[in-house]
Amino acid sequence: MSDLALGNRRLSPDAKRALSLFARYATIIGLGLMLLAFSVLSPQAFPTLGNFTNVINQASLAMIIAGGLTLAVIVGELDLSIGFAASLHGVLVTGLIVRHGLPIPAAIAVILLAGALIGVVNGLIVTKAKVNSVIATLGVGTILVGLSFAYSAGVPIVAGVPEAFLQLSLGRWLFGIPNNIVIMVLMLGGLWLLVEKSAIGQEIQAVGGNPAAARLAGINVDRIKILGFVLSGICAALTGTLLASRLGSGTTSAADSYLLTAFAAVFLGSATLRDGEFHIVGTFVGALIIAFGFNGLNIFGAPTYSQYILQGAILIIAVGLSSLGRQMAEN
């Protein structure tokens, strides 16, 4: 019997409830305390509507790609290709518009289909070839890096990017709200509805909870796992497209760093509101913690390397909290 289980047996019922509540709400409490501390320390710069809007706008792309990753993780797999895929999609969508003269909507549609196709490839390798998802998606991601360099020769595609494409990410078409925030809300809202309120969402959660039991219940486990990868791939494609629009160029490694941010948000979110379960709302909260943490460091003039230290520490803590939450739920 684990030390945690023995410890739980010694606790009173009230203490167990208090510990469970703390485990569920610790990340939200931590976010609130962080916002309060930054507001007190920098009352002129931090607690303003403009700063909060800017933080969420900057974090919106990370939230989209993390939302897709959440679906892959819910079905019990990991997708390490998302950052490399997003970078490739940014290069391709820019190239399709600038080099091949494709209309912007058509170029975006092609890229989203390409993202779905990469998800299908990842899913088939994992489910049919029985390759571990870490190895499979890391291998696919490395191939995508090669394809990105092959298409662009490592040179950013900048010249000739139309203003209409830039406004996709930089514009404010709805009540003055940045487009990226609107798109992020729609994407995460759609994913939440899919997972929490639909029949297919129940199958997704069943496969993630117990694949063997789901298979016995008549669920096509392989199909659900492939769907998780497909949604992850589509979100990576959308993220790469919006990032290229924001930067005004297609750059081979522009979105690579989103991989670590997405994983940190997903695992931190699993310790939010639920006992070690991955879910969209938790991922959103996790991404907010990371975004406001970075924002606070920037306001106080912390060196750039501190952001990497913070992000790595958050990922380690997040995985630890997720594992603790699952153990508490089991015990």
Side-chain angles (χ1 to χ4, degrees):
M1 184 177 295
S2 69
D3 293 339
L4 179 60
L6 290 172
N8 279 344
R9 293 181 63 181
R10 300 190 191 103
L11 294 175
S12 67
D14 289 341
K16 290 179 181 179
R17 282 194 293 270
L19 184 60
S20 178
L21 285 174
F22 176 77
R24 290 189 175 197
Y25 293 99
T27 52
I28 294 178
I29 294 171
L31 174 60
L33 292 175
M34 181 174 65
L35 295 179
L36 178 61
F38 286 159
S39 298
V40 171
L41 294 172
S42 182
Q44 301 300 319
F46 184 79
T48 65
L49 178 61
N51 183 55
F52 277 35
T53 301
N54 179 64
V55 170
I56 297 175
N57 185 34
Q58 292 296 319
S60 57
L61 303 189
M63 292 176 177
I64 291 172
I65 199 169
L69 175 63
T70 303
L71 269 294
V73 176
I74 288 176
V75 299
E77 305 296 345
L78 299 176
D79 188 351
L80 299 183
S81 69
I82 52 174
F84 307 121
S87 295
L88 172 63
H89 294 311
V91 170
L92 290 179
V93 72
T94 311
L96 290 174
I97 295 169
V98 173
R99 293 180 177 177
H100 306 288
L102 223 61
I104 294 173
I108 294 173
V110 169
I111 293 305
L112 293 179
L113 287 173
L117 178 60
I118 291 172
V120 170
V121 171
N122 280 330
L124 289 175
I125 293 173
V126 171
T127 60
K128 303 305 181 183
K130 305 301 180 184
V131 178
N132 180 277
S133 62
V134 172
I135 302 301
T137 57
L138 185 60
V140 169
T142 305
I143 292 172
L144 297 180
V145 173
L147 293 176
S148 182
F149 274 95
Y151 183 79
S152 66
V155 179
I157 302 173
V158 179
V161 177
E163 179 66 23
F165 181 63
L166 301 181
Q167 288 303 309
L168 173 66
S169 190
L170 302 178
R172 296 175 178 235
W173 298 337
L174 185 65
F175 306 118
I177 303 172
N179 290 349
N180 284 344
I181 295 180
V182 175
I183 296 171
M184 177 271 293
V185 170
L186 292 175
M187 282 299 299
L188 293 190
L191 292 175
W192 180 83
L193 288 173
L194 175 69
V195 175
E196 303 292 340
K197 300 298 180 180
S198 71
I200 193 73
Q202 298 305 309
E203 294 186 3
I204 289 172
Q205 295 185 61
V207 169
N210 191 326
R215 187 173 282 106
L216 290 174
I219 297 173
N220 188 327
V221 172
D222 288 354
R223 179 176 63 87
I224 294 298
K225 285 181 177 287
I226 292 172
L227 175 63
F229 281 112
V230 167
L231 292 171
S232 180
I234 291 173
C235 288
L238 180 59
T239 299
T241 299
L242 294 175
L243 182 60
S245 172
R246 174 187 287 176
L247 298 176
S249 67
T251 306
T252 52
S253 59
D256 291 2
S257 63
Y258 281 120
L259 174 64
L260 182 57
T261 303
F263 269 91
V266 169
F267 278 91
L268 191 57
S270 70
T272 303
L273 301 177
R274 300 182 183 179
D275 295 326
E277 295 181 17
F278 301 101
H279 56 116
I280 297 297
V281 173
T283 295
F284 176 73
V285 173
L288 283 181
I289 292 173
I290 297 169
F292 279 108
F294 284 179
N295 179 245
L297 292 177
N298 288 330
I299 287 177
F300 296 115
T304 302
Y305 65 77
S306 63
Q307 295 186 10
Y308 293 97
I309 295 174
L310 174 65
Q311 189 161 266
I314 286 176
L315 179 58
I316 294 171
I317 293 170
V319 174
L321 288 174
S322 176
S323 299
L324 179 62
R326 284 193 293 271
Q327 289 181 52
M328 291 179 63
E330 291 169 359
N331 294 321

